[in-house]
Amino acid sequence: MPTFRVVATLVVLGASSSFAQTGTPRALTPGDWDRWRSITGTVTSADGGWIAYSLVPQAGDGDLVIRATTGSREWRVPRGFIGRPQLVAGFHGSREPAPAPAAFSRDSRWVVTETSLPRAEYDAAKRRAPRAPEHKGIAVVRLSDGQVTPVARVRSFKVPREGPSVVAYLLEPDDSTAAPPRDS
């Protein structure tokens, strides 16, 4: 009989707490949608000791999350404005290419990811020069301590699957050394 009383008490408490939570439902707003984050670009290190993924908002600044698969170590790296607002009804693609997923070194000692300007700086740059290309960079994260080494103005990067643990990246031309535009 005592077991029945315990179960009955738990059922009553559970029902009363669920009734307490069912107040008037609030309608979702665009502000709610903008705060939602999706997990994209999930990758695992070669030794299986780390996992990395991007938290991408509907609109706003994203983060790279790097977590140890054992223990509680976690590093977060701001990636900048990688979330773009959805402005076309019914459109299910992306206007711009998705940010490249992070890449681990073959020896699982570091990870590299693409970065962009924070949203406020991105918006200000687009107001100043709407047709100017976006300048991206990379962040190299040492997994032993989470130290981030940023590299600005990177056009692209690659990490080899085999061979040495290196990252190759192509820098954008410096504005002072860029060729002047030709007249048509």
Side-chain angles (χ1 to χ4, degrees), residues 130-181:
R131 295 179 187 250
E134 181 181 355
H135 297 293
K136 296 185 181 280
I138 60 172
V140 181
V141 183
R142 189 169 52 201
L143 296 175
S144 62
D145 60 2
Q147 179 181 344
V148 178
T149 304
V151 180
R153 302 179 68 89
V154 174
R155 185 175 290 174
S156 64
F157 73 92
K158 288 287 185 188
V159 176
R161 291 185 191 185
E162 297 177 3
S165 291
V166 297
V167 61
Y169 54 88
L170 176 64
L171 293 174
E172 294 177 352
D174 187 11
D175 291 337
S176 63
T177 61

Side-chain angles (χ1 to χ4, degrees), residues 25-50:
R26 182 177 70 85
L28 292 175
T29 66
D32 295 324
W33 301 329
D34 289 347
R35 284 192 304 270
W36 289 346
R37 292 180 173 241
S38 301
I39 294 176
T40 64
T42 305
V43 291
T44 306
S45 64
D47 67 358
W50 295 90

Side-chain angles (χ1 to χ4, degrees), residues 75-123:
W75 314 120
R76 288 184 178 247
V77 179
R79 292 196 64 192
F81 186 42
I82 58 175
R84 306 293 191 248
Q86 179 54 262
L87 300 176
V88 180
F91 183 74
H92 296 292
S94 173
R95 285 200 178 126
E96 299 176 15
F104 283 96
S105 64
R106 223 170 71 83
D107 60 5
S108 302
R109 294 179 58 201
W110 50 264
V111 64
V112 62
T113 188
E114 181 182 280
T115 60
S116 296
L117 293 172
R119 184 176 184 180
E121 292 177 34
Y122 175 86
D123 289 343

